[in-house]
Amino acid sequence: MTSTLRLRLLECTFALVSAAASIVAGPAMAQKQGGSLTVGLELDIPGFDPLKVGVYDTAAVTAAGLLFETLTILDNDGKAKPKLALSWTSSDDFKIWTFKLRPDVKFHDGTPFNAQAVAWNFARQKDPKNNCRCAFYIANILGVEPKDDLTVVYTLKDPSVNFPSLLTRPDQNSSVHSPTAIQAKGDDYNRNPVGTGPFVLKSWTAGDRMVVERNPNYWNKGKPHLDRVVLRPLPDSQSRFASLKSGESDLVWVDEFEADNIVRAKKDPTLQVLSYAGSGAAVVAINTKVAPLDDVRVRQALVMALDRKKMSEALTNGLARPASNPYGDGSWVKCKDDGALPEDPAKAAALIKDYGKPVEFKMLFTATPRGRANGQILQQLWKSVGANMEIEQVDQATIPPRAFQRKFDITPWRIVDFPDPDTQMFANFYSKSPLNLANYTNPELDKQLEDARVTPDEAKRAEFYCAASRIINQQATWFWTFQNTYYAVAKAKVKGVPKLYGGIIDVSDAWLE
């Protein structure tokens, strides 16, 4: 480790210890105690047991942030700060990370939170007998061992300079569950979650609402501010916004496809629009093993036929920001050359003609008006260059399993806003990854992704990621539509909601004015 890196690590550790003290003994603000907050989500929550659900969607992660906690969380600058871990240090090669845990923390069932619980959660997900789809996301972690009750050591396969930041998302891998509850409840645990979080599950009616109430034994005294949070799945965007206007909801999930509602909310003094320009993007994966998409000319033609600005205007009144790579403006990866193919319908038509055979294929879309609108725009753009796409609308819950089983020609997907690109880049684009949806193998692309995860220097890592983007763009195995911008609309009285990292609406520390 260079002297500069060592100094930065020491400075980081000192700052983290200081932050740990302030998280408990922070200055009192005009935060009111009590009250109930109702949140309108875009999806129903399938459950919380990683072995059952595999990967948490945004609705599940929003709920998980109330019930569970992670070792670290992101601060306002997107850097890791303490939560269940008080401090951390790494080995010189960044392959071993040692976390000092917060004492006197208990799960909702009274089970002590300790290093053994952290290690048990990891081992359960990693065990090949459990066949958890969640296991791939922790493939770089070789082991998690308790050194003592309040010290846990992570051993990594490859160096990870940003490893603490990768533990901040309350997802299927990083949320810490009660081992006692999982073992006692068995299959029923999926809908009876037990964490250390500021709220405890009170009731849950599938398709209707989940109610969580203040944890009376929460370790962070004086928190949470709210007595109760109600989470309601409201898949229809207009119904969700109407629930806010009527007072049935206090905060609702929205996105740029609800541009009219966002504009209306900005003009309404009783409402506030929360937004965050993140990293990642809405993306599309092309199955490179099925004809005619196994031909690079066809794939390039489909990408070159796109007019993202026209798509944004038609779908989001121009709110959606066109994307040309998987990183986005919110990422620290900045590419001078990302290899993006030009918008060139004439060249696209020429490539289709050069292919010499009919270009016909299907693309999956959600069975919603939005899915239909997306499909019709792409259908028109591609038909204009000689490619015929059939719209296949399916239930949103059907898309992930269809994608994982490669039962598609083209499928929509999303690269979520993460503090570090490694996890998703390796999952989506490494040739041996089970989530390599495009079925594409390229040794040079593998090398760029491997080098990016073993290089401590951030500028050099960015170069590797930009090189990976150039390969993906030139081969047109995936393409990017819009950058991730996350939105929520709330009553003006709702306070204390942090940045919407990864599209998560975190109301764990919110209060009502």
Side-chain angles (χ1 to χ4, degrees):
M1 183 190 297
T2 66
S3 59
T4 301
L5 283 173
R6 191 182 300 276
L7 178 60
R8 286 179 180 171
L9 184 58
L10 289 172
E11 291 173 342
C12 179
T13 302
F14 176 79
L16 293 170
V17 173
S18 300
S22 66
I23 199 171
V24 177
M29 297 177 65
Q31 298 147 340
K32 292 185 178 181
Q33 294 294 115
S36 178
L37 179 76
T38 298
V39 180
L41 301 175
E42 83 282 16
L43 297 169
D44 197 8
I45 300 166
F48 295 97
D49 186 347
L51 302 195
K52 296 285 186 183
V53 301
V55 179
Y56 288 3
D57 56 30
T58 53
V61 174
T62 293
L66 301 172
L67 299 166
F68 303 103
E69 292 178 297
T70 52
L71 297 190
T72 56
I73 57 173
L74 292 177
D75 64 16
N76 207 42
D77 296 319
K79 305 297 183 183
K81 70 175 184 178
K83 191 66 173 183
L84 288 176
L86 287 174
S87 63
W88 46 87
T89 56
S90 82
S91 60
D92 286 354
D93 62 1
F94 296 103
K95 286 186 177 182
I96 299 175
W97 285 86
T98 302
F99 293 81
K100 292 293 184 180
L101 304 182
R102 187 178 299 281
D104 303 319
V105 176
K106 290 187 176 181
F107 291 98
H108 302 154
D109 61 358
T111 302
F113 163 76
N114 52 31
Q116 289 80 5
V118 176
W120 189 90
N121 273 262
F122 167 80
R124 181 173 184 260
Q125 295 178 25
K126 192 82 167 180
D127 188 343
K129 294 179 182 177
N130 289 331
N131 196 32
C132 186
R133 200 165 70 243
C134 62
F136 181 79
Y137 291 95
I138 49 175
N140 191 39
I141 304 174
L142 296 177
V144 178
E145 298 296 333
K147 191 173 181 181
D148 56 48
D149 281 355
L150 296 177
T151 307
V152 64
V153 179
Y154 284 72
T155 301
L156 311 182
K157 177 183 177 182
D158 297 315
S160 179
V161 294
N162 285 341
F163 185 65
S165 70
L166 297 179
L167 302 178
T168 58
R169 185 177 174 84
D171 59 16
Q172 67 284 341
N173 298 115
S174 297
S175 293
V176 185
H177 302 250
S178 165
T180 302
I182 290 177
Q183 293 174 87
K185 296 179 183 297
D187 288 342
D188 292 335
Y189 178 79
N190 191 46
R191 296 188 62 83
N192 293 276
V194 178
T196 63
F199 292 89
V200 178
L201 179 65
K202 178 66 174 178
S203 64
W204 186 1
T205 303
D208 180 42
R209 68 192 60 214
M210 174 186 290
V211 180
V212 299
E213 294 187 346
R214 193 177 195 275
N215 178 3
N217 302 310
Y218 189 46
W219 59 265
N220 196 354
K221 302 306 178 186
K223 302 289 184 71
H225 305 294
L226 297 166
D227 292 330
R228 182 182 298 101
V229 177
V230 180
L231 301 168
R232 299 187 61 207
L234 299 168
D236 180 74
S237 61
Q238 295 306 319
S239 296
R240 197 162 55 244
F241 190 74
S243 77
L244 181 69
K245 292 290 292 179
S246 69
E248 294 178 5
S249 297
D250 302 297
L251 185 155
V252 297
W253 183 94
V254 296
D255 64 16
E256 58 264 79
F257 289 93
E258 302 168 48
D260 290 344
N261 290 338
I262 292 173
V263 171
R264 265 198 301 262
K266 287 181 177 180
K267 296 177 180 178
D268 188 335
T270 68
L271 300 177
Q272 58 178 314
V273 176
L274 309 174
S275 65
Y276 170 66
S279 62
V283 299
V284 172
I286 301 175
N287 190 340
T288 63
K289 291 293 188 280
V290 298
L293 305 172
D294 55 349
D295 193 294
V296 68
R297 292 170 296 180
V298 173
R299 299 196 303 270
Q300 288 176 337
L302 298 184
V303 176
M304 295 172 78
L306 299 178
D307 185 334
R308 292 175 179 83
K309 288 185 178 180
K310 182 182 292 185
M311 292 168 63
S312 177
E313 288 293 338
L315 295 168
T316 72
N317 288 348
L319 273 183
R321 301 172 298 144
S324 62
N325 61 57
Y327 311 116
D329 292 345
S331 173
W332 50 264
V333 177
K334 308 294 184 186
C335 299
K336 293 181 179 178
D337 175 16
D338 61 13
L341 295 171
E343 177 192 323
D344 191 337
K347 176 65 174 176
L351 287 169
I352 295 292
K353 185 176 181 181
D354 187 56
Y355 176 66
K357 291 177 281 187
V359 174
E360 298 176 346
F361 55 91
K362 294 181 179 181
M363 180 170 174
L364 298 179
F365 296 91
T366 58
T368 61
R370 177 186 304 179
R372 170 63 62 175
N374 273 279
Q376 289 174 339
I377 289 174
L378 287 173
Q379 193 177 53
Q380 291 169 10
L381 289 171
W382 287 336
K383 186 174 183 180
S384 69
V385 299
N388 295 311
M389 180 265 283
E390 179 182 340
I391 297 172
E392 183 179 0
Q393 287 196 277
V394 297
D395 183 82
Q396 184 162 321
T398 302
I399 290 180
R402 286 276 299 268
F404 296 142
Q405 296 166 30
R406 311 301 189 271
K407 293 181 178 179
F408 68 91
D409 294 339
I410 300 181
T411 187
W413 207 245
R414 183 175 292 276
I415 294 180
V416 181
D417 172 45
F418 269 19
D420 191 278
D422 174 70
T423 302
Q424 293 191 100
M425 290 299 291
F426 215 80
N428 289 319
F429 303 112
Y430 193 68
S431 63
K432 297 178 182 178
S433 165
L435 299 181
N436 173 14
L437 304 184
N439 275 327
Y440 178 70
T441 300
N442 185 316
E444 182 58 28
L445 177 57
D446 285 350
K447 184 177 186 304
Q448 300 299 333
L449 297 174
E450 290 167 351
D451 288 347
R453 66 169 16 185
V454 300
T455 302
D457 184 87
E458 192 172 271
K460 290 183 179 179
R461 291 187 74 208
E463 291 178 9
F464 292 130
Y465 283 128
C466 292
S469 173
R470 288 192 287 274
I471 295 172
I472 298 164
N473 276 334
Q474 291 299 315
Q475 291 297 312
T477 61
W478 292 58
F479 64 83
W480 342 100
T481 52
F482 306 124
Q483 299 183 49
N484 284 331
T485 305
Y486 301 103
Y487 294 93
V489 179
K491 295 289 189 182
K493 66 180 180 180
V494 177
K495 305 295 180 184
V497 180
K499 288 182 178 179
L500 306 176
Y501 290 122
I504 302 169
I505 302 173
D506 180 5
V507 296
S508 61
D509 201 28
W511 73 93
L512 300 174
E513 190 176 59

